[in-house]
Amino acid sequence: MKTLIACYSYSGNTLTVAQKLQELINADFTRIEPVKDRWYLIKAIHAYLEKKWPIKPCITDMADYDCLIVCSPVWAGRTTPGVNQYLEELENVSGKKCAVLVTMGGDGNQTATIKIRENLEAQGMEFIDKVTIGGKAQKSGEWEALVQDFSGKFKTE
Ligand SMILES: Cc1cc2nc3c(=O)[nH]c(=O)nc-3n(C[C@H](O)[C@H](O)[C@H](O)COP(=O)(O)O)c2cc1C
């Protein structure tokens, strides 16, 4: 299964986890990067309002891939504006598999993963799995086991 990991990370937590996943499953990797940074409060408000921010060019065409893993931090209980834009720019996704990885400071909120999943399914993708890595798992190191477990779903056949 040829897999693309698409990762947005502001302060590096999601990037660390997504890079570990990449090592484990030998996927291609693309960074989602907004053209412009904004203040903390604007970040939170725009995320809550499900806004989209322009992003720099990255891999959005899934023609050569079988599976897409979207990785994002949780902002204001939602996904991030750069990721919202990325989802809109995706091409040739219908019939492909997808999964979601999010990191967050707290624990338990599933809204971001659900929103990303719904968006991808509405584009005709088949959802495989999701993983949410909260602040406790990031601090304790438990995140490595969570990623290891998650990676089992994407082994190259
Ligand atoms: C603007 C903003 C809003 C955030 N909102 C939440 C939130 O609603 N819930 C939560 O658990 N963590 C929240 N966080 C914390 C991040 O989700 C968490 O630190 C994440 O691991 C950061 O990932 P990154 O280092 O890849 O950017 C927020 C962080 C920022 C910058």
Side-chain angles (χ1 to χ4, degrees):
M1 184 154 69
K2 192 169 180 208
T3 299
L4 176 68
I5 296 174
C7 177
Y8 172 65
S9 178
Y10 177 66
S11 54
N13 299 343
T14 314
L15 184 63
T16 301
V17 176
Q19 283 176 334
K20 178 71 190 177
L21 179 64
Q22 182 196 17
E23 261 174 55
L24 291 167
I25 65 173
N26 198 21
D28 285 356
F29 201 93
T30 194
R31 290 286 299 270
I32 302 168
E33 293 179 286
V35 173
K36 197 171 123 189
D37 192 18
R38 324 265 171 132
W39 293 343
Y40 182 92
L41 203 57
I42 300 292
K43 283 186 177 74
I45 292 168
H46 282 196
Y48 188 75
L49 296 174
E50 299 177 13
K51 298 246 183 217
K52 300 180 183 101
W53 290 350
I55 54 173
K56 295 178 187 171
C58 61
I59 305 174
T60 52
D61 187 350
M62 285 291 295
D64 288 343
Y65 294 96
D66 308 303
C67 178
L68 172 68
I69 306 173
V70 177
C71 306
S72 175
V74 172
W75 284 357
R78 300 284 190 279
T79 182
T80 47
V83 169
N84 293 338
Q85 179 62 28
Y86 181 78
L87 297 175
E88 185 166 299
E89 292 187 18
L90 281 170
E91 291 175 283
N92 298 309
V93 292
S94 188
K96 311 283 171 82
K97 296 185 188 325
C98 67
V100 183
L101 179 158
V102 300
T103 73
M104 61 195 296
D107 277 292
N109 186 312
Q110 298 297 331
T111 308
T113 47
I114 290 167
K115 294 268 177 197
I116 298 172
R117 174 184 180 165
E118 285 177 352
N119 184 306
L120 295 171
E121 284 183 334
Q123 298 190 54
M125 297 193 90
E126 182 199 336
F127 179 75
I128 303 179
D129 201 7
K130 60 156 170 56
V131 63
T132 302
I133 299 185
K136 277 190 210 137
Q138 289 178 50
K139 283 199 189 79
S140 67
E142 192 205 337
W143 68 270
E144 296 216 43
L146 291 170
V147 172
Q148 179 86 46
D149 188 40
F150 186 62
S151 74
K153 314 273 168 36
F154 313 100
K155 291 282 184 237
T156 313
E157 282 141 29

